[in-house]
Amino acid sequence: MKQTTTLIEYATKKEHWKNNINKAGIVGFFLGPYGICFALFFIFPLVFGIIMSLCSFDGSSIYPSQFVGFDNFTKLFTNPILARDFWKSVWVTIRFDLIIVPLSILIPLGLALLISMKPPGYKFFRSCIYLPGIFPLTATGLILLKMFDYRNGFINAFFNVSIDWFGQTNTAWFMIGLFCLWCGMGGNFIILCAGLENVDKTLFEAASVDGCNKIDKFFHITLPAIKPQLFICLFTTFIGYMNLYGQLLILASNTPDQSEMKSAVFRIQDMLIGNSKGYGYAAAMGICLGLIIIVIAVVQLVVTKERKGGSKHEEKFMAWKKSR
Amino acid sequence: MKEQVTPKEAKQILKATNNKLVDETLDSFVTLRNINKIFPNGVHAVYDFNLELNKNDFVALVGPSGCGKSTTLRMIAGLEEITSGELYINKTYSNYLPSKDRDIAMVFQSYALYPQMTVFDNIAFGLKIRHIDKKEIEERVFKAADILDLGPYLDRKPKELSGGQMQRVALGRAIVRQANLFLMDEPLSNLDAKLRVQMRSEIVRIHKEIGATTIYVTHDQVEALTMANVIVVMNKGFIQQVGSAMDVYNHPANLFVATFIGSPSMNIILGSYKDGMCYLSPQYSFNLGDEFKKKIFDFRLNKINELQEMLEKIDEINYEEILKMESRQIYKRGQDKSNLQIKSKKTNIFTALKEKFTKKGSEQEQDNQAEIKQKITELLKSYQTSSLESIPLKFGIRPEAFYLADSFRGKMKSPIIEAKPSMIELLGNEYIVHFNLFNEDIQIKLENTEEVSNEQIMKIVFDIDKLHIFDVESGLTIR
Amino acid sequence: MKRKAYSLFVLAAVLSLMGCNNTNNEISSVNLSDDGDLVRDENGNIVYENVKLKLWSVTTGDDAAVQDTIINRFNQLYNGMINVEVTHHSRYDIESLLANTMNFDKDNAPNLIFNHGSKAVEYANNKWIYDVTPFFEKSEIQFDKEDFASSLLDAVTLDGATYGMPIDCHSVMMEMRLDILEKNNLKVPTNYYELVEVCDEAAELAQNNNLWIRGENSQGYDAITWRKASNAEEYTAFPISFGDMWVHEFFGYTAAIQNGGSLVNPENQYPGWYSQESVNGLQVLKDWIFPTETSVNKNPLSKDYGSSYDVGDEPFRNGSAIFKLQGPWSYQNDLNDFDRTLAKDGGSDNITTRNIGKMLALDDSKPYASKIKGEGHALMMVSTTTSLTKLCAETVFMDYIAYSSGIEWAKRGHIPAVNSVAQSEDYRNDPEYDKYIKYWGAPEDYVVVPPTKFYTHIDNYFKGALQKILAASFKDQSIDSILKQEYEDCIAYINLYS
C-alpha cells in the first residue's frame, strides 16, 4: 500500500517540478538577456561604486588599494578644498535646475497647447519641435560656440552687439539654459502632446455651459487632466538636469570663473583625470549626489501624491440637515 | 426687432439692454423658428425646426439615431452654431449668446463630471465660476444633495461612484444652477434597465419639485411617453409630429410616428380601397361608411391641388434664384466665411445646396428641373386615378386593438379572422401572439388568462374604431 | 523577485571584491647580469636578426607623415635586422589607451612610446617604463647626456634614473608682417620694449589715420594695394586670446619664466609659480590687453578676445595685425599663402618669423630672459618587453631618431634636443635653416616643465589663474590675489591625495 501511495505522490511531484522548470525556463529565456544586461551595467557598477567609495586608491592601478571605511565621505564634508568645490557645484547645479525645470515644462506645454489646436501645418511644426533633440550634443554645442563667438560670431555681428556670451557667468548660464531648452524641448513636448490628446472633449462643453472662459477651462480641465504627464516631465527633467555635464564641458570650458560654472558631475569628472588617486572621492561624490537626487525625488513624490478626500463636506451636510 | 436701425442706434440699444434682445410679443417661453443646421461638410442635419414651449413644460425629443435631436438640443445649448432661424429663450434672442449667458443647465450623456474634483466641488463648480457667495453655494449644494440623496458621497471623487450616483451628481450640477431651462441629452442611456426605470421617476419627481422647463432628448419612446407632456417626434432632421403623449399615441400624424411610438409597434398591412370597401386582402374586406369616403376623397383632392401648384411654380420661378435666395439667407446667418471659401466640394454650402436640389452643379440644372417635373407629374397621376379603380392604402392596427372573437371589448367589431399562431411569447402578464396574415407578421396582445395554443386555430377580431389608415405615397394619416 | 535581486547583489559584490584584491601587477624585471637572449658575432657585437618592434607615437597628421618617412629610412637601413612598426594616436586618446593596455591587455603593449616628455615621470611612477641607461650600456650605444638640452633631459629624469631619450622640443613662435613694418618705418623688435614701442607707435599712427596696411579683407580690398588703417577702432598690432593654444600652453608660462618665475619647486615637486617674479611676468600679459598708467605700453597690444577660442589667421592676413602667434609647423603654410596672395610684390618675403625669447622680459640682461616654455617629445621603453635583444634594438632605434632626423624634424617645427645636431653642418647648411629655422633658437633656449608627479594639477591651476588674469570680468582683481587663490587650491588638492 505504501508503495502505491508513494508512486502517486512521486508522479505528481515530478509533474509539478517539470511544470515549474518549464515556466522558469520560459521566464529565464525572455528575461535572461535583460537580466544579464541589468546586472552587468547597473547592479555591478552600483555595487562596485559603493565599494570604491569605501576604499582609497594609490594612483598606480584602477583597483582600490586600501579599505578606509567612511573616510572618503567625511573628507567630502571636512576637507576644505573638497567640500568647498563639491558642495558649491551641487548648489550651482540645483540652482540651475530650479530655473530650467519650470521653463523646460512650461515652454513645451505652451507649444503642446498650440499644436493641440491643430492649426494648418501642425504636423510639420510638431516634427520641427522634436528635431533638435536628435542632433548630437557636441556638434550643436560647437556650432553654438561659433555662432555666439565674442569677436567673430554671427549673432554679435547680426545684432550689432558686443557681448561676450561665454565670458561672464550669467550670460554663460543663459547660453547653457538656451542650449538645454533647445535640445530638451522635444521630449517633454511629445509627452504633453500625447497627454493633451486624451482630454475628454465633453468636459469642455460642460464647462462652457457652466460658464468658464478659456483660462478657467485651462486651469480646471486641461491641467488636471494632464497631471500624470506633468509629473513624469517634472521627475525626469529634474533628474536629468542634475546630471548636467556635456553642455557645460562644451560651452563653458572657456569661462573664466570655473567654480561658478562647474556642475556636480563636472567635479566628479575632474576627480578622474590624471592618475587614479581621486577615484575614491569621485565614487563618494557620486553616491552623495545620488542620495541628494533620491531625496528630492521622494519629496516631489510625496508632495504630488493624490490625497484622499476626507469627509469634511459630509460632516457639514449632516450638520446642515440637522439644522433644518 | 426687425426694423431698420442705424449702427449707432443699434449700439446704444444693445448697451441699454445689456446686450440682450428681448421680444415681448412672444408668449411662449422657448421659441424656435425655422431652425436649420447645415454642417461644414454639407450635411443638412435639421430642417426647419419650429417649436414653442411654455414654462414648466417637459418636452421630449424622440427619434431614431441620426434624426437630428441631439443637434437641436446642442443648438439650443449653444454648443453648435445655428445656421439659420431664430432661437428665443425666455423671450430673449439667443442665437449669438454664449452658453453661459443663456440661463440653461445641461446634463450630458456621459455625465461629464470633472474627474479631479469631489462631488461637492463638481456640483458647486458652476456657481464658483460665477463668483457666488460661499455660504450661498453651500446652501444650494446641500439642498440639491438632499433632493438627490447624495449626502454620503459628497467627498468622493467621480471614479469612486457608480453609474447611477454619477448621473445624480450630473443632475445636481444642473439643479443648483437654478436655471430656467434644463437640457438633457440622453442622460439615462448609460444605465442598466432597472436603474433607468428608477432614475426616470426621479427625474420626473425633480421636475415637479423644481418646476423648470426641461427639454429631454431620448431614443427610447417609452421614456418619452412616460415622462413628457409634450413629445416631438423627429426623423431624418424633420419634425414628424408635436403633441401630448395621448395625441402621439392615438392620433399619429404619419406612418413613421405610428410605427415608432408603441411597443410592440403597430401592425402595418398593405391593402386597397375600392368603391367604398377596404380590402386587407382580396378575401377580407369591410366597409367604413360614407364618412371615410369623403375623407379620402378630400385628402386626395388636396394632394392633387398641392402638386399642381408645385408644377406651375416650377415653370415660373428661376431655379437659380431659389437656390441663391436660400443660400444667401443661410450665408447671412453668421456662417463662418472661411468655410465657404474652402474650395473643396464637400465644404461649400452653396454647392451642397445645389446637390440637394439638383444632381450635379449648374450645368445639369435644366435636366434636373425636368426630372423633378417628371417626378411631380408621376405623383399627380397616381393621385388622379379614378375612384372606380382601387387605391392602395396602408392600414395600421395596434396589437392591443386585437381581441379574441369571444371576448371583444372594443367599439366596432371587424369581420373574424381565423388563423393559426406562428409564435407565442409570454411576457408575464400578457401574451404576444404572432400570426402570418396578409403577407405580414401580425402581432397581437392578449391577456395571460386567455387560452392560446400553437396547434389550434384561433378566431381574432380587431376594433375598427382604432384602425389607422395611411396614404401610401406620402405616409400621411387619412384616418 | 526579491530573492533574485538579492542574489544578483551578492554576486556583484563578490566579483568586485575579487577585483579589489587584485594588487599591482608584478612587472617582471630583466636580469642584466647575463646576455639573456642576445646573439653575438665573433667580434662580440650584437647581431640583430628580424627584430620586430612596436612603436606608439603621439604625432598625427603631417607630423605623422614626416615621422613615417624617417622611420622607413631606419627600417631600410636596418633591413632584415630591425623593423619598427609605428601606430599613431592623438594625444587625447593615447593616455586612456595606454592605461587600459597596461592594466588589462599587457600582451598587446608596445615596445616603445613616443610621447611628451612630461609624461615620463607619471609612467615611471606607474612602473610602466624602464630606466634606459643600463640598456644603452648593454648595447654599447653611447648616450651622451651632456649633449642633450638640460631642461629636456631633466624632464625625463627621476631620482637619478633616466626614463627616456628626449628627441625634440617645440613652442609657439611669432610671425610678423615685414611689409607693414617697412612701409611705416618701424623696426623689427628684438625684445619686449622694442615690441611695445612698435605696437604703440602703430596704434598712434592708426589713430591719426597714418598707418599703412594691406591685406585682403571682406570689404573687397585686395592683398597688394596699400590703404590707411581706419581709426574707427583701436589698432591692436599683436592680438592674443586665452582660448588659443599658443597662449595658454606656452605664452603664459613664458611670461612667468622670462621674468624669473619658476614652474615647479624642485625640492618637493610642488607648484613653484606663485612668486613675485611670476606676478611681474603675468602683469606683462595683463597689460597687453588692459594697459594702465603704470604699464610699459600706453595702448593695448591686443583686443580683449574674452571667451573666443582663437584669434584666427584673419587679422594677420588682412593687415589689422602686424604680429601673430603661430605654431612652427604651420609656418610653411603661411609662406605658401603669402606666396600666392602677394605673388606680384615679394610673395613670402613679406613675412618673417622669430622666436619669443626676450619678447616678454622686463629685463633682457638676465639669463632667463631668453628662455621659452615649450614641450618636448621623448622615446620611452615600455616595461612589458623582456627580451634583451629587443631592448637593445630599441636603443639602436632611439639613438638613430635622436641623431639622424634633425633637419627634417625641424622643418616640422620641432627643434632637436641634441645640441650637436643643432650645430651640425647638415642642419645648418640646409636652405630652410637659413630662411627661418635659425630664428627659432637653440635647444638650450627651451624650458619644459620639470619632472613632477603633480603635473596635472600644477598645469591646470596655472592655466586657471592665467584665464582669470586675462579675463575682463576679473580685471579689477589683483594678479597676486588670483595667483594666490589658485596656488592654495592646487596645494590643497595635492595634499588631499598624499
Side-chain angles (χ1 to χ4, degrees):
Chain A
M1 266 311 272
K2 210 176 169 187
Q3 201 72 7
T4 30
T5 333
T6 328
L7 255 180
I8 293 177
E9 276 180 19
Y10 178 76
T12 343
K13 251 202 222 165
K14 190 162 165 221
E15 275 308 309
H16 263 148
W17 259 107
K18 252 171 76 179
N19 242 350
N20 282 344
I21 289 182
N22 224 344
K23 275 197 209 151
I26 294 178
V27 168
F29 178 70
F30 280 106
L31 277 187
Y34 175 72
I36 293 176
C37 287
F38 186 70
L40 207 59
F41 292 111
F42 184 74
I43 303 241
F44 176 66
L46 181 64
V47 170
F48 197 55
I50 295 178
I51 292 178
M52 273 169 76
S53 68
L54 300 173
C55 300
S56 80
F57 290 72
D58 67 0
S60 56
S61 93
I62 67 162
Y63 291 109
S65 65
Q66 199 190 5
F67 183 79
V68 291
F70 286 102
D71 200 32
N72 288 339
F73 289 95
T74 40
K75 280 227 182 99
L76 263 188
F77 288 95
T78 56
N79 184 293
I81 184 80
L82 205 54
R84 186 197 78 188
D85 276 348
F86 179 60
W87 295 110
K88 171 93 198 203
S89 68
V90 167
W91 165 238
V92 159
T93 319
I94 291 183
R95 194 182 59 189
F96 177 67
D97 239 359
L98 288 175
I99 298 180
I100 197 87
V101 164
L103 283 176
S104 189
I105 294 181
L106 290 176
I107 296 182
L109 181 63
L111 289 171
L113 282 171
L114 286 175
I115 294 288
S116 74
M117 293 194 229
K118 301 234 176 24
Y122 73 96
K123 287 193 187 162
F124 171 71
F125 286 116
R126 207 166 52 180
S127 35
C128 273
I129 294 174
Y130 190 72
L131 213 55
I134 63 176
F135 292 138
L137 208 67
T138 327
T140 8
L142 287 176
I143 295 179
L144 214 63
L145 269 181
K146 283 274 177 249
M147 256 176 75
F148 283 84
D149 195 62
Y150 180 33
R151 289 285 170 192
N152 310 323
F154 168 74
I155 296 285
N156 275 358
F158 185 74
F159 291 104
N160 229 349
V161 293
S162 187
I163 306 178
D164 191 357
W165 294 99
F166 300 105
Q168 299 137 11
T169 46
N170 26 5
T171 50
W173 274 117
F174 170 73
M175 287 307 302
I176 305 276
L178 194 70
F179 188 28
C180 287
L181 276 177
W182 188 79
C183 291
M185 238 173 14
N188 284 351
F189 168 75
I190 293 278
I191 295 175
L192 291 171
C193 247
L196 283 174
E197 292 284 309
N198 289 335
V199 178
D200 193 2
K201 304 274 185 299
T202 49
L203 285 181
F204 287 111
E205 290 176 355
S208 295
V209 175
D210 271 339
C212 287
N213 55 16
K214 282 231 168 84
I215 298 182
D216 285 327
K217 278 189 199 167
F218 174 70
F219 279 106
H220 285 111
I221 301 178
T222 319
L223 266 193
I226 56 172
K227 241 205 249 181
Q229 282 81 6
L230 278 179
F231 288 160
I232 291 180
C233 287
L234 186 67
F235 278 127
T236 51
T237 315
F238 185 80
I239 294 176
Y241 283 128
M242 281 298 278
N243 293 326
L244 187 71
Y245 174 61
Q247 292 90 333
L248 284 171
L249 183 65
I250 298 171
L251 292 183
S253 285
N254 234 14
T255 315
D257 196 356
Q258 285 285 293
S259 67
E260 277 291 323
M261 299 300 298
K262 287 193 176 173
S263 67
V265 178
F266 209 125
R267 287 284 177 202
I268 297 178
Q269 289 288 348
D270 276 349
M271 284 284 133
L272 302 176
I273 54 175
N275 56 25
S276 66
K277 281 206 181 133
Y279 283 15
Y281 301 117
M285 281 184 191
I287 290 183
C288 273
L289 189 64
L291 285 174
I292 293 174
I293 296 179
I294 289 177
V295 163
I296 298 183
V298 165
V299 165
Q300 278 178 340
L301 243 174
V302 165
V303 164
T304 58
K305 208 161 79 153
E306 283 220 358
R307 297 262 151 68
K308 278 288 172 191
S311 62
K312 57 178 184 164
H313 290 303
E314 198 181 332
E315 288 161 11
K316 276 195 201 167
F317 176 71
M318 288 303 170
W320 174 85
K321 201 159 177 193
K322 280 210 185 98
S323 68
R324 292 241 287 166
Chain B
M1 280 209 330
K2 300 242 172 96
E3 323 91 50
Q4 298 287 340
V5 286
T6 63
K8 210 169 174 187
E9 286 175 17
K11 200 168 166 189
Q12 279 176 343
I13 294 175
L14 275 177
K15 207 168 169 191
T17 59
N18 198 16
N19 215 25
K20 290 203 160 99
L21 296 171
V22 181
D23 188 352
E24 294 296 337
T25 61
L26 301 166
D27 43 27
S28 53
F29 187 67
V30 176
T31 312
L32 291 98
R33 270 201 206 140
N34 295 330
I35 298 281
N36 275 286
K37 174 71 187 174
I38 304 180
F39 282 107
N41 62 357
V43 171
H44 198 148
V46 178
Y47 293 85
D48 268 1
F49 194 95
N50 281 290
L51 189 63
E52 287 186 9
L53 301 175
N54 297 316
K55 245 184 179 309
N56 302 337
D57 267 352
F58 193 117
V59 182
L61 299 180
V62 263
S65 300
C67 67
K69 49 192 199 297
S70 282
T71 317
T72 316
L73 191 76
R74 286 164 68 88
M75 280 199 283
I76 301 175
L79 299 171
E80 299 275 359
E81 280 226 21
I82 300 174
T83 319
S84 82
E86 288 145 28
L87 168 68
Y88 296 89
I89 298 178
N90 200 4
K91 304 189 183 174
T92 319
Y93 181 72
S94 311
N95 278 39
Y96 61 88
L97 283 181
S99 309
K100 57 187 169 86
D101 292 334
R102 293 193 192 192
D103 198 22
I104 53 168
M106 189 152 173
V107 179
F108 293 86
Q109 183 175 3
S110 60
Y111 323 128
L113 300 180
Y114 306 111
Q116 80 279 6
M117 299 187 199
T118 57
V119 164
F120 182 92
D121 289 327
N122 258 294
I123 299 179
F125 185 64
L127 305 175
K128 211 170 65 158
I129 291 290
R130 280 153 214 261
H131 305 294
I132 294 184
D133 181 43
K134 208 170 154 196
K135 272 271 170 247
E136 174 74 20
I137 293 181
E138 257 185 35
E139 182 69 30
R140 286 202 212 177
V141 173
F142 286 147
K143 217 157 152 198
D146 203 22
I147 297 177
L148 294 164
D149 219 7
L150 283 174
Y153 309 114
L154 280 175
D155 290 300
R156 295 209 196 164
K157 299 253 169 78
K159 63 173 184 264
E160 298 163 18
L161 299 173
S162 75
Q165 289 157 354
M166 280 203 273
Q167 191 51 273
R168 279 187 272 160
V169 175
L171 275 174
R173 195 167 62 179
I175 292 174
V176 294
R177 291 276 315 282
Q178 290 178 353
N180 282 318
L181 183 62
F182 272 29
L183 303 171
M184 303 202 193
D185 190 356
E186 301 198 43
L188 304 181
S189 51
N190 281 0
L191 303 175
D192 60 272
K194 201 163 173 205
L195 205 50
R196 211 180 294 167
V197 172
Q198 196 183 339
M199 289 301 296
R200 229 163 52 198
S201 44
E202 289 272 326
I203 293 180
V204 173
R205 177 175 68 87
I206 291 169
H207 175 251
K208 281 208 178 64
E209 237 182 274
I210 299 189
T213 317
T214 312
I215 303 183
Y216 187 97
V217 165
T218 177
H219 61 265
D220 184 353
Q221 41 101 15
V222 176
E223 271 177 27
L225 288 176
T226 52
M227 295 164 83
N229 64 339
V230 177
I231 300 184
V232 179
V233 183
M234 292 180 71
N235 185 30
K236 293 210 169 83
F238 289 94
I239 296 186
Q240 305 295 325
Q241 183 173 5
V242 178
S244 71
M246 281 314 236
D247 281 340
V248 163
Y249 188 78
N250 287 328
H251 306 285
N254 60 27
L255 192 61
F256 173 78
V257 178
T259 46
F260 186 76
I261 303 283
S263 173
S265 55
M266 188 189 277
N267 301 296
I268 303 293
I269 304 162
L270 178 64
S272 58
Y273 171 83
K274 183 178 172 173
D275 213 9
M277 293 290 281
C278 299
Y279 291 87
L280 287 180
S281 76
Q283 298 85 25
Y284 188 87
S285 66
F286 49 88
N287 198 330
L288 285 173
D290 287 330
E291 203 188 315
F292 179 66
K293 213 172 176 175
K294 187 165 186 302
K295 254 194 193 161
I296 195 168
F297 181 74
D298 284 337
F299 177 81
R300 294 182 79 86
L301 195 60
N302 274 337
K303 266 280 176 221
I304 290 169
N305 289 337
E306 236 180 73
L307 289 172
Q308 274 174 340
E309 244 181 73
M310 267 174 77
L311 211 52
E312 281 164 26
K313 281 210 177 124
I314 282 185
D315 287 331
E316 285 174 5
I317 296 183
N318 188 347
Y319 236 41
E320 187 74 48
E321 282 304 314
I322 298 184
L323 276 176
K324 279 202 182 141
M325 261 187 348
E326 286 247 13
S327 64
R328 218 182 293 135
Q329 261 189 345
I330 296 173
Y331 183 50
K332 256 199 237 164
R333 300 296 179 213
Q335 191 65 21
D336 197 359
K337 274 205 187 138
S338 60
N339 282 337
L340 282 178
Q341 277 160 13
I342 298 171
K343 298 273 188 255
S344 74
K345 193 162 76 148
K346 279 196 170 172
T347 56
N348 193 319
I349 296 196
F350 190 69
T351 345
L353 273 175
K354 269 194 184 166
E355 282 190 60
K356 184 171 78 125
F357 281 96
T358 66
K359 270 297 171 177
K360 256 192 216 168
S362 45
E363 303 96 60
Q364 297 186 296
E365 212 185 277
Q366 303 288 50
D367 299 335
N368 292 323
Q369 220 174 353
E371 204 178 304
I372 294 181
K373 218 167 157 181
Q374 192 192 12
K375 276 210 182 114
I376 300 179
T377 327
E378 273 177 25
L379 269 176
L380 203 54
K381 237 199 237 161
S382 67
Y383 280 114
Q384 281 171 333
T385 44
S386 103
S387 46
L388 288 174
E389 293 179 24
S390 79
I391 304 163
L393 288 176
K394 282 206 175 144
F395 297 89
I397 317 167
R398 291 212 181 267
E400 310 83 71
F402 279 95
Y403 300 91
L404 283 180
D406 306 327
S407 34
F408 182 74
R409 281 191 297 279
K411 283 212 183 128
M412 202 157 61
K413 199 169 172 182
S414 73
I416 294 180
I417 308 166
E418 290 189 15
K420 200 151 64 160
S422 62
M423 183 161 72
I424 302 178
E425 292 172 319
L426 173 62
L427 290 182
N429 65 331
E430 55 195 12
Y431 283 105
I432 296 192
V433 188
H434 295 248
F435 293 90
N436 259 328
L437 294 171
F438 312 120
N439 294 328
E440 299 284 345
D441 175 37
I442 306 288
Q443 301 177 28
I444 73 173
K445 259 194 203 168
L446 295 174
E447 302 259 317
N448 63 355
T449 49
E450 309 279 3
E451 261 184 49
V452 287
S453 90
N454 251 338
E455 309 303 317
Q456 283 185 322
I457 292 185
M458 295 168 64
K459 295 192 175 150
I460 48 172
V461 288
F462 60 86
D463 188 353
I464 292 186
D465 193 45
K466 296 243 159 85
L467 175 73
H468 300 265
I469 302 182
F470 303 99
D471 178 39
V472 167
E473 309 287 348
S474 62
L476 293 169
T477 314
I478 302 177
R479 176 188 184 272
Chain C
M1 193 54 213
K2 254 191 173 173
R3 236 188 226 182
K4 188 176 177 190
Y6 181 67
S7 50
L8 276 174
F9 214 74
V10 166
L11 182 70
V14 164
L15 277 175
S16 32
L17 275 173
M18 273 167 57
C20 237
N21 287 335
N22 197 346
T23 53
N24 241 329
N25 314 308
E26 292 300 319
I27 313 261
S28 44
S29 44
V30 179
N31 194 354
L32 280 159
S33 49
D34 59 32
D35 260 2
D37 60 344
L38 279 178
V39 176
R40 290 183 190 268
D41 65 8
E42 21 336 319
N43 298 331
N45 299 325
I46 303 179
V47 174
Y48 299 103
E49 201 171 314
N50 275 330
V51 183
K52 297 224 184 301
L53 297 173
K54 272 202 298 190
L55 166 68
W56 280 6
S57 171
V58 81
T59 54
T60 50
D62 288 332
D63 273 6
V66 172
Q67 192 172 50
D68 283 346
T69 30
I70 298 175
I71 295 177
N72 281 337
R73 245 199 355 251
F74 171 83
N75 285 337
Q76 271 177 357
L77 192 59
Y78 283 83
N79 195 8
M81 297 194 273
I82 309 178
N83 185 286
V84 174
E85 181 200 320
V86 59
T87 36
H88 299 277
H89 305 280
S90 87
R91 58 192 293 173
Y92 307 109
D93 290 340
I94 200 168
E95 302 308 324
S96 48
L97 194 59
L98 196 60
N100 283 338
T101 315
M102 293 307 284
N103 276 316
F104 298 114
D105 197 12
K106 284 227 167 75
D107 295 332
N108 283 327
N111 307 107
L112 288 160
I113 304 180
F114 182 82
N115 201 347
H116 295 113
S118 50
K119 294 289 176 186
V121 172
E122 188 186 314
Y123 295 165
N125 274 328
N126 292 344
K127 302 196 176 29
W128 289 351
I129 54 178
Y130 284 129
D131 174 6
V132 305
T133 324
F135 298 105
F136 274 92
E137 285 167 8
K138 194 75 182 175
S139 64
E140 288 158 18
I141 308 266
Q142 199 194 27
F143 184 176
D144 182 5
K145 302 214 171 131
E146 308 290 316
D147 200 6
F148 283 79
S150 49
S151 174
L152 300 175
L153 198 57
D154 282 343
V156 297
T157 311
L158 185 66
D159 293 335
T162 314
Y163 283 97
M165 178 180 265
I167 304 294
D168 63 51
C169 62
H170 63 265
S171 179
V172 68
M173 53 87 179
M174 54 188 243
E175 293 180 22
M176 52 186 92
R177 295 283 300 264
L178 278 177
D179 53 344
I180 297 183
L181 288 174
E182 264 176 36
K183 183 89 176 173
N184 294 289
N185 277 326
L186 302 163
K187 56 181 191 252
V188 173
T190 57
N191 63 20
Y192 176 59
Y193 294 98
E194 288 178 21
L195 179 64
V196 163
E197 210 183 294
V198 167
C199 293
D200 264 341
E201 214 180 301
E204 263 148 47
L205 282 174
Q207 246 167 26
N208 302 328
N209 220 359
N210 275 329
L211 183 69
W212 287 107
I213 59 171
R214 68 175 176 180
E216 223 166 36
N217 77 352
S218 51
Q219 277 143 3
Y221 290 107
D222 65 295
I224 299 195
T225 328
W226 288 101
R227 62 181 189 273
K228 286 281 174 65
S230 89
N231 55 1
E233 52 172 17
E234 282 178 331
Y235 188 84
T236 47
F238 199 156
I240 60 171
S241 158
F242 172 77
D244 237 336
M245 179 173 112
W246 319 131
V247 174
H248 68 245
E249 287 289 343
F250 304 112
F251 215 50
Y253 278 111
T254 312
I257 291 175
Q258 285 187 1
N259 289 289
S262 61
L263 302 178
V264 173
N265 186 339
E267 290 158 34
N268 50 11
Q269 300 186 16
Y270 274 29
W273 36 256
Y274 178 46
S275 60
Q276 185 56 47
E277 291 87 358
S278 300
V279 171
N280 295 341
L282 290 173
Q283 185 70 49
V284 166
L285 277 188
K286 186 171 179 176
D287 292 339
W288 204 281
I289 308 174
F290 306 113
T292 61
E293 294 113 17
T294 51
S295 57
V296 179
N297 51 323
K298 288 198 287 294
N299 301 302
L301 275 69
S302 163
K303 282 203 281 250
D304 171 28
Y305 274 83
S307 60
S308 269
Y309 265 91
D310 48 31
V311 171
D313 291 325
E314 270 316 296
F316 187 71
R317 196 178 292 157
N318 65 26
S320 48
I322 306 179
F323 304 94
K324 81 163 170 179
L325 291 175
Q326 183 66 291
W329 44 84
S330 304
Y331 188 57
Q332 202 53 271
N333 288 344
D334 283 343
L335 286 176
N336 294 339
D337 204 33
F338 273 85
D339 264 333
R340 187 176 45 86
T341 51
L342 284 173
K344 297 186 186 153
D345 192 9
S348 56
D349 290 338
N350 288 299
I351 61 171
T352 185
T353 171
R354 294 286 185 276
N355 65 55
I356 54 174
K358 293 193 187 171
M359 289 297 172
L360 296 162
L362 289 166
D363 183 355
D364 64 351
S365 62
K366 289 281 193 325
Y368 44 70
S370 59
K371 297 288 181 199
I372 305 169
K373 193 264 177 183
E375 206 168 52
H377 293 118
L379 271 171
M380 300 174 245
M381 300 166 66
V382 184
S383 55
T384 47
T385 322
T386 45
S387 148
L388 212 47
T389 320
K390 282 200 176 172
L391 290 165
C392 293
E394 288 175 21
T395 60
V396 173
F397 176 69
M398 286 156 76
D399 175 73
Y400 180 84
I401 295 294
Y403 280 88
S404 310
S405 56
I407 188 62
E408 279 165 280
W409 206 224
K411 289 184 198 168
R412 292 298 312 158
H414 304 283
I415 305 293
V418 183
N419 288 321
S420 58
V421 169
Q423 288 153 6
S424 68
E425 280 188 6
D426 262 347
Y427 191 79
R428 294 196 172 219
N429 289 343
D430 195 299
E432 305 282 307
Y433 175 82
D434 208 46
K435 198 159 180 214
Y436 54 85
I437 296 181
K438 69 180 179 198
Y439 292 121
W440 289 345
E444 280 300 333
D445 290 335
Y446 285 81
V447 164
V448 297
V449 178
T452 165
K453 48 183 188 262
F454 309 119
Y455 176 73
T456 324
H457 292 288
I458 293 176
D459 191 39
N460 283 347
Y461 279 91
F462 181 77
K463 286 180 182 158
L466 183 63
Q467 186 178 32
K468 284 190 182 158
I469 290 168
L470 296 181
S473 43
F474 283 86
K475 207 163 59 158
D476 299 326
Q477 221 179 326
S478 79
I479 297 182
D480 189 71
S481 62
I482 295 175
L483 214 53
K484 180 166 180 217
Q485 179 70 55
E486 298 295 317
Y487 177 73
E488 279 166 4
D489 284 352
C490 186
I491 300 280
Y493 265 107
I494 292 175
N495 285 337
L496 181 65
Y497 291 138
S498 53

